[in-house]
Protein backbone atom coordinates (compact mmCIF):
# COMPACT_ATOMS: atom_id res chain seq x y z
CA UNK A 1 0.00 0.00 0.00
CA UNK A 2 1.36 3.42 -0.95
CA UNK A 3 2.24 5.84 1.86
CA UNK A 4 -0.49 8.28 0.86
CA UNK A 5 -3.03 5.46 0.85
CA UNK A 6 -1.87 4.32 4.31
CA UNK A 7 -2.55 7.79 5.69
CA UNK A 8 -5.96 7.85 4.01
CA UNK A 9 -6.68 4.32 5.27
CA UNK A 10 -6.08 5.23 8.92
CA UNK A 11 -7.68 8.66 8.60
CA UNK A 12 -10.98 7.12 7.52
CA UNK A 13 -10.97 4.58 10.37
CA UNK A 14 -10.05 7.35 12.83
CA UNK A 15 -12.84 9.60 11.64
CA UNK A 16 -15.38 6.81 12.13
CA UNK A 17 -14.05 5.90 15.60
CA UNK A 18 -11.79 8.62 17.04
CA UNK A 19 -11.17 6.91 20.38
CA UNK A 20 -11.18 3.11 19.95
CA UNK A 21 -10.82 0.96 23.04
CA UNK A 22 -10.28 -2.67 23.85
CA UNK A 23 -13.50 -4.62 24.25
CA UNK A 24 -12.06 -6.54 27.17
CA UNK A 25 -13.30 -5.27 30.52
CA UNK A 26 -10.69 -4.46 33.17
CA UNK A 27 -10.26 -2.18 36.18
CA UNK A 28 -6.47 -1.73 36.38
CA UNK A 29 -3.27 -2.93 34.67
CA UNK A 30 -3.29 -6.21 36.61
CA UNK A 31 -6.82 -7.16 35.60
CA UNK A 32 -5.93 -6.16 32.03
CA UNK A 33 -3.04 -8.66 32.06
CA UNK A 34 -5.36 -11.36 33.36
CA UNK A 35 -8.14 -10.57 30.88
CA UNK A 36 -5.81 -10.61 27.89
CA UNK A 37 -4.17 -13.84 29.04
CA UNK A 38 -7.61 -15.43 29.38
CA UNK A 39 -8.68 -14.21 25.94
CA UNK A 40 -6.33 -16.52 24.02
CA UNK A 41 -8.51 -18.76 21.83
CA UNK A 42 -11.61 -17.23 23.42
CA UNK A 43 -13.94 -14.35 22.62
CA UNK A 44 -13.85 -11.04 24.46
CA UNK A 45 -17.55 -11.46 25.22
CA UNK A 46 -16.95 -14.83 26.86
CA UNK A 47 -14.01 -13.52 28.87
CA UNK A 48 -15.97 -10.49 30.07
CA UNK A 49 -18.83 -12.67 31.29
CA UNK A 50 -16.39 -14.72 33.35
CA UNK A 51 -14.31 -11.88 34.73
CA UNK A 52 -16.98 -9.44 35.88
CA UNK A 53 -17.56 -11.31 39.11
CA UNK A 54 -13.93 -12.43 39.34
CA UNK A 55 -12.55 -8.90 39.27
CA UNK A 56 -15.00 -7.79 41.94
CA UNK A 57 -13.38 -10.42 44.16
CA UNK A 58 -9.77 -10.37 42.97
CA UNK A 59 -8.41 -7.25 41.30
CA UNK A 60 -4.83 -7.47 42.59
CA UNK A 61 -2.22 -10.25 42.49
CA UNK A 62 -2.47 -10.61 46.26
CA UNK A 63 -6.25 -10.97 46.13
CA UNK A 64 -5.99 -13.52 43.31
CA UNK A 65 -3.55 -15.62 45.34
CA UNK A 66 -5.85 -15.41 48.33
CA UNK A 67 -8.76 -16.54 46.15
CA UNK A 68 -6.83 -19.65 45.13
CA UNK A 69 -6.78 -21.76 42.01
CA UNK A 70 -9.90 -23.81 42.71
CA UNK A 71 -12.11 -20.75 43.17
CA UNK A 72 -10.48 -19.13 40.16
CA UNK A 73 -11.34 -22.14 38.03
CA UNK A 74 -14.98 -21.86 39.11
CA UNK A 75 -15.03 -18.27 37.85
CA UNK A 76 -13.43 -19.00 34.48
CA UNK A 77 -14.64 -22.54 33.73
CA UNK A 78 -16.71 -21.30 30.77
CA UNK A 79 -13.52 -20.16 29.02
CA UNK A 80 -11.60 -22.58 26.82
CA UNK A 81 -8.44 -24.09 28.30
CA UNK A 82 -9.45 -22.76 31.69
CA UNK A 83 -7.36 -25.25 33.68
CA UNK A 84 -4.11 -24.16 32.05
CA UNK A 85 -5.13 -20.51 32.14
CA UNK A 86 -5.95 -20.71 35.85
CA UNK A 87 -2.48 -22.12 36.57
CA UNK A 88 -0.91 -19.31 34.56
CA UNK A 89 -2.94 -16.61 36.33
CA UNK A 90 -1.90 -17.91 39.74
CA UNK A 91 1.73 -18.23 38.62
CA UNK A 92 1.90 -14.76 37.08
CA UNK A 93 0.24 -13.31 40.19
CA UNK A 94 2.88 -14.94 42.36
CA UNK A 95 5.67 -13.62 40.14
CA UNK A 96 4.25 -10.10 40.27
CA UNK A 97 4.18 -10.26 44.06
CA UNK A 98 7.65 -11.81 44.38
CA UNK A 99 9.48 -9.76 41.77
CA UNK A 100 7.50 -6.54 41.25
CA UNK A 101 5.79 -5.82 44.60
CA UNK A 102 2.46 -6.64 43.00
CA UNK A 103 2.81 -3.94 40.33
CA UNK A 104 2.53 -4.70 36.61
CA UNK A 105 5.83 -3.66 35.00
CA UNK A 106 5.96 -1.20 32.12
CA UNK A 107 8.57 -3.31 30.39
CA UNK A 108 8.21 -5.78 27.54
CA UNK A 109 10.85 -8.24 28.69
CA UNK A 110 9.43 -8.35 32.22
CA UNK A 111 5.89 -8.80 30.92
CA UNK A 112 6.88 -11.61 28.58
CA UNK A 113 8.49 -13.46 31.50
CA UNK A 114 5.08 -13.76 33.17
CA UNK A 115 3.46 -17.20 32.71
CA UNK A 116 0.84 -17.14 29.97
CA UNK A 117 1.99 -13.77 28.65
CA UNK A 118 3.43 -13.69 25.15
CA UNK A 119 4.38 -10.88 22.81
CA UNK A 120 0.78 -10.12 21.79
CA UNK A 121 -0.42 -9.87 25.40
CA UNK A 122 2.58 -7.72 26.32
CA UNK A 123 1.82 -5.40 23.40
CA UNK A 124 -1.80 -5.00 24.50
CA UNK A 125 -0.79 -4.19 28.08
CA UNK A 126 1.91 -1.75 27.00
CA UNK A 127 -0.52 0.02 24.70
CA UNK A 128 -3.69 0.08 26.78
CA UNK A 129 -2.24 0.43 30.27
CA UNK A 130 0.85 2.51 29.52
CA UNK A 131 0.15 4.32 26.24
CA UNK A 132 2.95 2.70 24.25
CA UNK A 133 2.73 2.69 20.45
CA UNK A 134 2.64 -1.08 20.04
CA UNK A 135 0.90 -3.38 17.58
CA UNK A 136 -0.70 -6.47 19.10
CA UNK A 137 -1.13 -8.79 16.13
CA UNK A 138 -3.99 -11.21 16.68
CA UNK A 139 -5.81 -13.23 14.01
CA UNK A 140 -7.86 -10.18 12.98
CA UNK A 141 -4.86 -7.90 12.47
CA UNK A 142 -2.91 -10.67 10.76
CA UNK A 143 -5.78 -11.11 8.31
CA UNK A 144 -6.39 -7.40 7.71
CA UNK A 145 -2.69 -6.64 7.28
CA UNK A 146 -2.30 -9.34 4.64
CA UNK A 147 -5.65 -8.98 2.92
CA UNK A 148 -5.51 -5.21 2.48
CA UNK A 149 -1.82 -5.05 1.60
CA UNK A 150 -1.18 -2.71 4.54
CA UNK A 151 1.33 -5.10 6.15
CA UNK A 152 1.90 -8.48 4.56
CA UNK A 153 3.79 -11.19 6.38
CA UNK A 154 3.81 -14.92 7.00
CA UNK A 155 4.04 -14.62 10.80
CA UNK A 156 2.45 -12.33 13.41
CA UNK A 157 5.87 -10.85 14.18
CA UNK A 158 6.50 -10.05 10.51
CA UNK A 159 3.13 -8.29 10.27
CA UNK A 160 3.82 -6.44 13.52
CA UNK A 161 7.17 -5.14 12.31
CA UNK A 162 5.70 -4.03 8.99
CA UNK A 163 2.84 -2.24 10.74
CA UNK A 164 5.35 -0.53 12.99
CA UNK A 165 7.30 0.65 9.95
CA UNK A 166 4.27 1.65 7.86
CA UNK A 167 2.03 3.36 10.43
CA UNK A 168 2.63 7.12 10.74
CA UNK A 169 1.65 9.61 13.39
CA UNK A 170 -0.91 10.55 14.57
CA UNK A 171 -2.33 7.03 14.11
CA UNK A 172 0.23 4.87 15.91
CA UNK A 173 -1.34 4.80 19.38
CA UNK A 174 -4.76 3.55 18.28
CA UNK A 175 -3.77 1.69 15.08
CA UNK A 176 -4.03 -1.84 16.42
CA UNK A 177 -7.48 -1.19 17.88
CA UNK A 178 -8.79 0.18 14.60
CA UNK A 179 -7.43 -2.87 12.79
CA UNK A 180 -8.79 -5.36 15.32
CA UNK A 181 -12.26 -3.82 15.25
CA UNK A 182 -12.21 -3.58 11.47
CA UNK A 183 -11.27 -7.24 11.20
CA UNK A 184 -13.81 -8.31 13.80
CA UNK A 185 -16.83 -6.48 12.38
CA UNK A 186 -16.15 -5.68 8.72
CA UNK A 187 -13.16 -7.50 7.22
CA UNK A 188 -14.39 -10.85 8.52
CA UNK A 189 -12.52 -14.08 7.96
CA UNK A 190 -14.94 -16.03 5.80
CA UNK A 191 -16.80 -13.24 4.05
CA UNK A 192 -15.42 -9.72 4.27
CA UNK A 193 -18.21 -7.15 4.08
CA UNK A 194 -16.58 -5.08 1.37
CA UNK A 195 -19.82 -3.35 0.42
CA UNK A 196 -19.81 -1.40 3.68
CA UNK A 197 -16.05 -1.06 4.13
CA UNK A 198 -14.73 2.48 4.58
CA UNK A 199 -11.40 1.60 2.96
CA UNK A 200 -12.47 -0.82 0.23
CA UNK A 201 -11.05 1.32 -2.58
CA UNK A 202 -7.61 1.30 -0.89
CA UNK A 203 -7.62 -2.43 -0.21
CA UNK A 204 -5.79 -4.99 -2.36
CA UNK A 205 -8.38 -7.75 -1.75
CA UNK A 206 -10.07 -8.96 -4.94
CA UNK A 207 -12.71 -9.65 -5.93
CA UNK A 208 -14.63 -7.41 -3.55
CA UNK A 209 -17.58 -9.09 -1.83
CA UNK A 210 -20.89 -7.72 -3.17
CA UNK A 211 -23.85 -6.83 -0.94
CA UNK A 212 -25.93 -9.81 0.31
CA UNK A 213 -28.87 -9.16 -2.02
CA UNK A 214 -26.59 -9.03 -5.04
CA UNK A 215 -24.81 -12.19 -3.87
CA UNK A 216 -28.17 -13.97 -3.64
CA UNK A 217 -29.12 -12.78 -7.14
CA UNK A 218 -25.82 -14.01 -8.56
CA UNK A 219 -26.35 -17.39 -6.89
CA UNK A 220 -29.86 -17.67 -8.26
CA UNK A 221 -28.68 -16.75 -11.75
CA UNK A 222 -25.99 -19.41 -11.63
CA UNK A 223 -28.51 -22.06 -10.58
CA UNK A 224 -30.85 -21.09 -13.42
CA UNK A 225 -27.95 -21.36 -15.84
CA UNK A 226 -26.94 -24.72 -14.38
CA UNK A 227 -23.57 -23.38 -13.23
CA UNK A 228 -22.01 -24.36 -9.88
CA UNK A 229 -22.24 -21.83 -7.03
Amino acid sequence: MKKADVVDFYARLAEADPHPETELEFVNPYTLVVAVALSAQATDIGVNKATRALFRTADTPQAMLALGIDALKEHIKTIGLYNTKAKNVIALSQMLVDEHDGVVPNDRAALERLPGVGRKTANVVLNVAFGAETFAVDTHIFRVGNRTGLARGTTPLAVELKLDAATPQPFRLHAHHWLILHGRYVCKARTPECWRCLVADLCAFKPKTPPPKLTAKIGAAKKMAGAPD
Side-chain angles (χ1 to χ4, degrees), residues 152-168:
R152 288 195 168 117
T154 57
T155 66
L157 179 59
V159 171
E160 177 189 335
L161 296 177
K162 288 189 177 181
L163 283 174
D164 193 16
T167 304

Side-chain angles (χ1 to χ4, degrees), residues 105-113 119-120 122-123 126 134 160:
N106 181 4
D107 177 81
R108 177 189 299 282
L111 285 169
E112 290 189 25
R113 286 190 63 243
R119 186 176 182 89
K120 183 191 76 173
N123 278 337
L126 290 169
T134 56
E160 177 189 335

